Amino acid sequence: MKQIRVYADTSVFGGCFDDEFAGESQRFFQEVRTGRFLLVVSQMTLFELREAPAKVREVLTQLPPEAVEIIENTEEVAVLRDAYVSAGVLGESSIQDAAHVAAASVGDVDLIVSWNFRHIVHFEKIRGFHAVNLLKGYRMIEIYSPREVAGHEETL
């Protein structure tokens, strides 16, 4: 089975310690440990995690290094991030959220997982990300909450 490259924003790491999101977040990271998913993060994720409590940072540091890929913060990511803002998909105050989606799009991941229902996992925002990506030569990117991704292997 092909390993699925999944970009997780910071909300998924913090979700491991939130009553509402802990189960699915922890299941997602367990599937990273077992090799079902290759976790993809960006420099923005690492920057945001530096400000997080130690237990949230440890979610990443306790994963096997071969289970994690880091997308560098490049000019290409910045240009796409700014395109989302220019197109009105997200406002200037949500530039970090735009950076997450831009990094995942430039990194050509299979999907994004996030608990950010206001700025990322929202049907209007997803349509906007798709439109900008297509205009800029990137493919549309699947965006879900961990609830829709983790622990749902089909049985035959």
Side-chain angles (χ1 to χ4, degrees):
M1 180 186 333
K2 177 187 178 274
Q3 192 176 37
I4 303 168
R5 296 176 67 244
V6 182
Y7 183 96
D9 76 356
T10 316
S11 69
V12 182
F13 293 87
C16 290
F17 305 98
D18 181 284
D19 290 341
E20 184 178 357
F21 304 128
E24 289 94 350
S25 295
Q26 291 169 7
R27 260 193 306 282
F28 170 75
F29 287 112
Q30 182 56 35
E31 292 189 49
V32 170
R33 282 185 207 86
T34 64
R36 178 170 186 230
F37 299 134
L38 174 68
L39 175 65
V40 181
V41 296
S42 66
Q43 293 292 324
M44 178 56 66
T45 311
L46 300 178
F47 172 78
E48 290 176 346
L49 284 174
R50 275 188 232 129
E51 304 298 318
K55 66 183 181 181
V56 174
R57 290 192 308 269
E58 288 171 2
V59 173
L60 178 62
T61 59
Q62 292 178 353
L63 293 172
E66 65 276 6
V68 181
E69 177 184 323
I70 299 172
I71 297 172
E72 298 298 322
N73 190 17
T74 64
E75 182 65 25
E76 186 179 5
V77 171
V79 167
L80 187 55
R81 174 203 66 204
D82 294 347
Y84 296 142
V85 174
S86 295
V89 178
L90 293 174
E92 285 285 337
S93 63
S94 301
I95 196 91
Q96 290 177 311
D97 297 324
H100 285 296
V101 178
S105 296
V106 169
D108 198 31
V109 301
D110 296 307
L111 57 102
I112 296 173
V113 291
S114 173
W115 290 117
N116 184 336
F117 296 114
R118 185 170 185 189
H119 298 124
I120 298 178
V121 188
H122 187 282
F123 79 99
E124 290 174 336
K125 304 302 180 186
I126 293 169
R127 285 180 178 171
F129 295 133
H130 287 175
V132 171
N133 279 10
L134 291 174
L135 286 171
K136 298 292 183 180
Y138 299 94
R139 68 182 173 104
M140 294 188 299
I141 193 161
E142 301 292 327
I143 302 175
Y144 301 101
S145 75
R147 182 171 290 137
E148 300 165 298
V149 174
H152 292 283
E153 290 187 286
E154 292 188 31
T155 57
L156 298 175

